Amino acid sequence: MSNSMFRIPSILLLVALSLFAFAGAVSANTFVEFEGYDYLTAADNPSLNPTGAITIETWCLIPMPFNDTGNCPVVEKPYYQHSHPWYQYHLGMNTGTKEFLFDLSLDGTRTLLRSPLHAFPFGEWFHVAATYDGSMMRLFIDGVEVSSRPASGSISIYERDVYIGRFGNFLYGFVGMLDDMRLWNTARTPEQILDGMCLPPDGDETGLMAAWDFDEGSGLVATDRSSNQNDAVFGAEGYGPDWVDGEIPDCADLDLEVVIDVKPGSDDNPVG
């Protein structure tokens, strides 16, 4: 992966990170490709309804900008209709500004964290993770924290399915490739994110709600590798993503340098 740059006016923070000794890529088989209307769903289940903490993480490849003005979903558990508070939990992006958006409904109120602008490259695989631990929301790109904000409250529960690649309340969604998506009912630490993003889970890890590696390569179901059996089913005929042969980069080759220039207290990018 090539270097990534994040800039917002004020304090300059340089983080140089080199990762070695990983035993190969997470996925050496297949991933799923979305074209803006494709999606998968995992049926509502108590195991998908955390209240005190959450981590959402996945590998992404976005070939080009596909929405210059708004939020496009990667994965979400939506509200009952497309209105406030919008989502139970949601990870999305704006490819016009190249930023990620992490949404939670906390005690029924929408709480949003944005990444810095220009937070990811086009045409290259990268890893994104979003966490909430009961007091802070955080976003990570390739294992490096890029934004955070104070937040508190219980994650609301709305009895809706999980949608991958599309909004739950209307037919509009993600364009690009996804691989190795995981949901947790714990806030993964930076060390856990770095250590785990290049290794497949065993399936019985504490707090693992769902793990879709998208390695099936055919069929209409992405199997959940956790013990919860939260399999994700392709959308209605004509609305399922495509299986694509290939692999994400070997983490042993990841040499990431991130420059973050953050203004403390910014409304757009609050820092805890």
Side-chain angles (χ1 to χ4, degrees), residues 102-116:
F102 175 33
D103 271 279
L104 295 173
S105 176
L106 297 178
D107 295 333
T109 299
R110 182 192 184 194
T111 308
L112 169 65
L113 172 64
R114 295 177 181 270
S115 76

Side-chain angles (χ1 to χ4, degrees), residues 12-63:
L12 180 64
L13 171 63
L14 175 64
V15 182
L17 174 67
S18 297
L19 297 178
F20 301 100
F22 283 106
V26 176
S27 170
N29 296 307
T30 61
F31 44 86
V32 282
E33 182 176 15
F34 299 79
E35 297 179 348
Y37 48 82
D38 310 307
Y39 66 98
L40 300 94
T41 57
D44 181 45
N45 185 300
S47 65
L48 294 171
N49 292 323
T51 56
I54 191 171
T55 297
I56 303 169
E57 59 178 326
T58 190
W59 285 87
C60 300
L61 188 153
I62 302 158

Side-chain angles (χ1 to χ4, degrees), residues 68-173:
D68 292 339
T69 60
N71 179 15
C72 296
V74 175
V75 60
E76 71 172 37
K77 204 166 190 290
Y79 185 52
Y80 298 113
Q81 58 267 346
H82 203 64
S83 61
H84 187 272
W86 307 98
Y87 322 102
Q88 180 172 331
Y89 48 83
H90 167 97
L91 180 64
M93 65 175 64
N94 183 322
T95 62
T97 56
K98 297 174 70 175
E99 64 181 321
F100 270 95
L101 300 93
F102 175 33
D103 271 279
L104 295 173
S105 176
L106 297 178
D107 295 333
T109 299
R110 182 192 184 194
T111 308
L112 169 65
L113 172 64
R114 295 177 181 270
S115 76
L117 304 181
H118 309 293
F120 56 86
F122 291 124
E124 299 177 23
W125 282 104
F126 63 90
H127 184 271
V128 58
T131 70
Y132 171 64
D133 62 6
S135 62
M136 294 291 293
M137 295 171 66
R138 306 179 192 274
L139 275 164
F140 300 80
I141 304 292
D142 285 335
V144 176
E145 184 178 321
V146 297
S147 63
S148 64
R149 62 162 291 173
S152 63
S154 178
I155 303 172
S156 307
I157 294 176
Y158 307 124
E159 296 175 348
R160 298 290 309 278
D161 297 345
V162 170
Y163 283 75
I164 300 171
R166 202 199 88 174
F167 286 111
N169 288 311
F170 65 94
L171 188 59
Y172 182 77

Side-chain angles (χ1 to χ4, degrees), residues 231-248:
D231 294 347
V233 179
F234 279 45
E237 185 175 355
Y239 292 98
D242 295 324
W243 297 107
V244 179
D245 293 329
E247 63 183 58
I248 61 178

